[in-house]
Amino acid sequence: MRKPAKPLLQDDSFTAKSQPRRKRDPAQPNLPFDPMPDRVEPCLALQKPTPPTGPDWAYEVKWDGYRLAIHIEPKGVRIITRGGHDWTHRFPTIAAAAAQLGVATAILDGKAVVLNDEGRSDFGALQRSLGGRGGKRASTESILFAFDLLYFDGHDLTRTELSVRRHLLEDLLEGAIGAVQLSGEVRGDGEELLANACSNGLEGIIAKHRNSPYRSGRTGDWLKIKCVQSQSFMIVGHEQSAAARGGIGSLLLAARRGHDWVYVGAVGTGFKEKDAAYLKKTLDKLKTRTPVVPLKGKNYVFAQPTLIAKIEFRGWTDDGNLRHASYKGLREIQDNAAVYELD
């Protein structure tokens, strides 16, 4: 498999570079073995509008894909989704590459992605490689970019600081260019890195506190700063159109506010004819006469709140609707995506 392009580093005039590798300490003390957990609830990045500053923060590319934990055990490899589902059979090339890393026990945290010709992660391509939402196909094109090491050679690393975990992960994945690769740290000023990422068409950057342990949930230890906003919204219906592909003119979207659904606008771009045909067929099965949001429209067809869509958008209008929204795909139940919560 070819080594992918690194679009964040393609600008020769930019000074971002990977952190120099440090040698492992052969005098490292022998620690008692820790039991290997069946699952570790993932650490999630808190979204911020601007990157943090200072030497305590490390930066990485934000990959657009499925969050996975790779459990390497003496009896084999298990691949667990963010929602806790076993998807080993869906990512056979990643599982095979992990089995060849030469370590008895480990848990890697990372993102499965499919790269386009420019070396950028493409969420829609990843979904298509899996057969679409609800599909049963195995993805052979996907690559895991690993960015953390939670368990290694019988030792639980979640209580150690990020800088130590990254050092061990870099040693483990040194030179790896196959289906499991290192999500490299990039060095430089956060604002410059973000601007460079955006100019190269990337989704954004991730900032992580170097001294933080691995803590589950959105603790603020990890931050995500996006070039374009993207969130998950519930599809609550569609607008029929005889002229549009698949008969869908636009999708009607809602966000959460407490226990209620709130309409946040419609999206009519981003889905291809095949996407529209699948959406129409699925939404017809979810059709309901009672909308979950107070909407009226001659061509509106309402649906039970079941399908969650990933939507990119440029901001919010004064009346609370998404501005310049674009459909990017459906979220899998196994990905455990949370619908956007309004303040």
Side-chain angles (χ1 to χ4, degrees), residues 80 132 254 308:
I80 309 299
I308 300 174

Side-chain angles (χ1 to χ4, degrees), residues 184-239:
E185 180 183 334
V186 288
R187 305 188 72 186
D189 174 75
E191 291 285 358
E192 290 182 61
L193 288 171
L194 179 64
N196 198 51
C198 296
S199 67
N200 279 288
L202 299 177
E203 192 181 18
I205 61 174
I206 297 288
K208 299 177 180 178
H209 199 280
R210 295 184 187 277
N211 298 324
S212 63
Y214 190 93
R215 298 191 293 169
S216 302
R218 297 188 198 278
T219 63
D221 295 336
W222 295 8
L223 305 175
K224 57 184 175 183
I225 306 93
K226 295 184 177 182
C227 301
V228 178
Q229 296 186 62
S230 65
Q231 297 288 352
S232 297
F233 295 94
M234 187 65 72
I235 300 175
V236 293
H238 71 278
E239 183 178 13

